Amino acid sequence: LHVEYFLPGVLMDHILDGDGSAVVIHSEVDDYTTQPAGNAGDRIACGVIQPSGASSATVGSSPSKK
C-alpha cells in the first residue's frame, strides 16, 4: 500500500514536534464528535512519522478490542 496525502499550509515543523508523531488509520469515517477515536471503527494500520535518515522507531501493535 502506498499513500500520498498533501496538507496545504502544514509544515513538517508542526508534525515533527518534540514528542514524536504517528498516524492511525481506522476502518470507518470519523464522526467528529465521539472521543477519542471519533467512533471510526477498528484500527487497521498505523505508522510512525519521522524525518528521512532518522534512527529506527520502536514499532508496537494496536491494542485488541475487548
Side-chain angles (χ1 to χ4, degrees):
L1 174 65
H2 177 87
V3 176
E4 290 186 26
Y5 194 80
F6 298 93
L7 299 167
V10 176
L11 303 174
M12 291 307 291
D13 289 347
H14 299 153
I15 296 172
L16 299 173
D17 58 10
D19 66 351
S21 297
V23 62
V24 177
I25 299 173
H26 291 92
S27 61
E28 306 294 330
V29 297
D30 191 321
D31 65 10
Y32 296 102
T33 302
T34 310
Q35 294 297 326
N39 199 27
D42 293 338
R43 297 174 184 155
I44 59 173
C46 62
V48 175
I49 301 172
Q50 63 187 31
S52 61
S55 61
S56 298
T58 302
V59 178
S61 60
S62 179
S64 59
K65 288 183 84 172
K66 294 183 179 183

